[in-house]
Amino acid sequence: MMEKPMKLGRNEPCWCGSGKKYKKCHLDRETQPPARSWEVDAYIRARNKGGQCLHVGATVGTICGKAAIGSHTVSRSMLKRIARNGHVYRHSATMQDLVKTDGQLTSKLIGVNDASTLRIFCETHDSDTFVPLEQAPFAGSQEQCFLLAYRALCHEYFKKAQVSESVPDMKGFDRGKPVVQQLQIQATMDALGGSYDVSMRDMNAHKEQYDAMLAAHDSSEIRAYVVTFENTPDILCAGALYPECDFAGRVLQNLANLSEKMELMTFSLIATDSGGAFVFAWHTSGDAVCRPLAASLDAYSDDELPHAVVRFIFEFCENHYMNPDWWDNADQKTREALTARLQLSASSWEPRSASCLVDDGVHTVSWKVAGRAWI
């Protein structure tokens, strides 16, 4: 942990590393009005109103950069399939909610027009880019899997960039705290910023690969594993991650090794005309890490696989939306188990176990597997 010097002149650089003079930064910060939960939420809302189109545009290595609209990372038409009176459940994690619930995540209704929206594409690129995905039945084609992956990648890119860019501002929320807590908060934020800097380093490299495929209209370097279901899943989601472990508890890559590029896997659970589909997708350069994860899911029987997908979503995806009837009708023990998994996975203090995806006996859905395919 960083240490505050015993004596520091008013005009000397502040101990926190902000680059500001001590008198303009942490001098007497413990006497300032503390940050309120609504202030933090207002800051996050204002941050989310920003954004620019992340589409590659005309030239690889650049982005469109036009003003972005609220793009659905899970399409609205799909969300309507699982909605009740136009609303789906999500797990709320605003600061005000966490204060009210003593830090516990809770499910909360959200309208399908607002669910899963991020300002990551301009109007033109949001409508034109995903035509083969939005205006044609899902057939698990390589192009469709790539478009699902590209949208999920841009979602994760935007979220990570937001956090990385917000660290200096978040460090200012230590006001009103005792000096000891200020030191802890600053050290935590420094560690968070460092990890997100490395994550963005790798995310930029992956986005360049996907941008090149998009610009060339060539999805031949995408690989995918597709599971189709006979019925519409009760959960829909989209996201991306650096896989740590597989469904058998085997370690796939060490995220603590910051000197190596981490391989990326995208995932989507979608509604289709015939039911639904879960799609793992990755660039061929990530085969050594991503294919074993998909293979470990494929090793499950048709009866076991849907429950493994649910475990994966609650372990690794905050961008998921649930059928309210399914969630309300689930027994209390099941809801508590899934929420506890989500809660633990969101903790920055508890290390993730390599066995986190191994069958825990929580079986929650009745989806029937219709088929499996390697793309």
Side-chain angles (χ1 to χ4, degrees), residues 220-240:
S220 62
E221 292 184 335
I222 206 71
R223 298 292 179 266
Y225 173 69
V226 181
V227 180
T228 53
F229 299 106
E230 294 179 3
N231 40 354
T232 301
D234 301 292
I235 312 167
L236 302 178
C237 73

Side-chain angles (χ1 to χ4, degrees), residues 22-208:
Y22 181 44
K23 67 181 181 182
K24 295 287 188 180
C25 196
H26 272 81
L27 178 62
D28 297 328
R29 182 168 289 194
E30 62 272 19
T31 66
Q32 297 173 1
R36 307 289 182 86
S37 58
W38 63 264
E39 287 183 77
V40 179
D41 289 340
Y43 170 78
I44 294 173
R45 286 195 301 271
R47 184 185 67 183
N48 288 342
K49 288 181 180 178
Q52 58 182 338
C53 181
L54 297 178
H55 192 281
V56 63
T59 307
V60 177
T62 65
I63 60 172
C64 166
K66 292 181 181 178
I69 62 172
S71 301
H72 281 82
T73 54
V74 178
S75 75
R76 183 169 54 184
S77 62
M78 293 182 187
L79 290 168
K80 288 180 178 179
R81 297 273 297 276
I82 65 169
R84 182 176 67 198
N85 298 324
H87 290 75
V88 292
Y89 269 137
R90 65 170 176 178
H91 278 89
S92 176
T94 67
M95 284 302 298
Q96 292 180 87
D97 289 334
L98 293 175
V99 168
K100 292 176 183 177
T101 62
D102 195 25
Q104 299 302 303
L105 293 173
T106 57
S107 56
K108 194 173 184 178
L109 288 170
I110 183 173
V112 295
N113 289 336
D114 299 318
S116 85
T117 56
L118 279 181
R119 295 182 178 274
I120 53 177
F121 298 117
C122 66
E123 185 172 4
T124 298
H125 285 134
D126 185 54
S127 60
D128 293 351
T129 303
F130 302 100
V131 167
L133 186 61
E134 301 291 350
Q135 298 185 16
F138 182 76
S141 69
Q142 197 164 38
E143 180 184 34
Q144 289 177 322
C145 290
F146 166 72
L147 291 174
L148 282 172
Y150 189 77
R151 187 158 59 188
L153 171 68
C154 287
H155 165 269
E156 193 67 18
Y157 182 98
F158 179 82
K159 298 295 286 187
K160 287 187 181 299
Q162 275 193 319
V163 175
S164 182
E165 294 167 2
S166 297
V167 166
D169 292 331
M170 291 190 291
K171 293 178 75 172
F173 289 129
D174 66 350
R175 67 180 189 267
K177 304 288 186 183
V179 173
V180 170
Q181 290 186 29
Q182 292 177 31
L183 291 164
Q184 293 172 337
I185 291 170
Q186 294 297 316
T188 299
M189 288 295 102
D190 283 342
L192 179 69
S195 66
Y196 270 84
D197 286 346
V198 172
S199 182
M200 283 305 300
R201 176 201 68 190
D202 294 345
M203 191 63 69
N204 277 308
H206 290 294
K207 188 170 185 301
E208 286 180 5

Side-chain angles (χ1 to χ4, degrees), residues 11 25 65 130 134 281 295 301 307 335-336 342 346:
N11 292 313
C25 196
F130 302 100
E134 301 291 350
S301 69
H307 307 299
R335 292 199 301 269
E336 289 177 353
L342 189 65

